Structure formats: C-alpha cells, structure tokens
C-alpha cells in the first residue's frame, strides 16, 4: 500500500545506527495519502505521495 501510483515512490530499506554504533534494519515509508483524483478522464481513488499532490502531478476531483 505504501506506494505512490504516479511516481512509484515506495518503501526504502536501510540500517539504523545508534550512538554506540549498533546497527539494525529499518524502513522509510513515503507519505502516501488516499485521494480522489482524475485518472484517464474519470474520478478514481488512488494512492499519491504528498510531493506529487503538492507539485501538481495529481489533479484532484472535488
């Protein structure tokens, strides 16, 4: 679910490093919202990241 349907931004994986340099796995999730947008001329509920919403890649259906 944590994937933008417009820019394909999805979960990223990495390593969390503490102050004592102990390492453990972690994830970064994109800020994805479920919005009603115009896709191929018709309104549809899609998952879009907030960067696509802010930049105007997604046309909202009101």
């Amino acid at each position: 679910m944590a994937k933008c349907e417009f820019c394909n931004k999805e979960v990223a994986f990495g390593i969390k490093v503490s102050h004592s340099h102990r390492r453990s796995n972690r994830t970064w999730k994109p800020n994805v919202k479920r919005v009603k947008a115009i896709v191929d001329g018709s309104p549809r509920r899609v998952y879009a990241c907030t960067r696509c919403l802010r930049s105007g890649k997604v046309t909202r259906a009101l």
Side-chain angles (χ1 to χ4, degrees):
M1 188 219 90
K3 183 175 180 180
C4 178
E5 296 183 22
F6 295 93
C7 66
N8 294 324
K9 186 185 286 187
E10 55 190 359
V11 177
F13 298 95
I15 296 176
K16 177 172 60 176
V17 182
S18 70
H19 179 68
S20 62
H21 213 72
R22 292 179 66 92
R23 296 154 66 91
S24 60
N25 295 331
R26 67 156 292 178
T27 59
W28 285 269
K29 293 182 182 174
N31 191 2
V32 174
K33 306 289 182 195
R34 189 165 185 247
V35 295
K36 200 173 185 182
I38 302 291
V39 179
D40 297 329
S42 62
R44 201 172 68 132
R45 290 229 178 248
V46 293
Y47 290 102
C49 69
T50 53
R51 180 162 294 205
C52 288
L53 290 171
R54 191 175 65 188
S55 67
K57 281 187 183 179
V58 180
T59 52
R60 300 283 295 265
L62 299 175

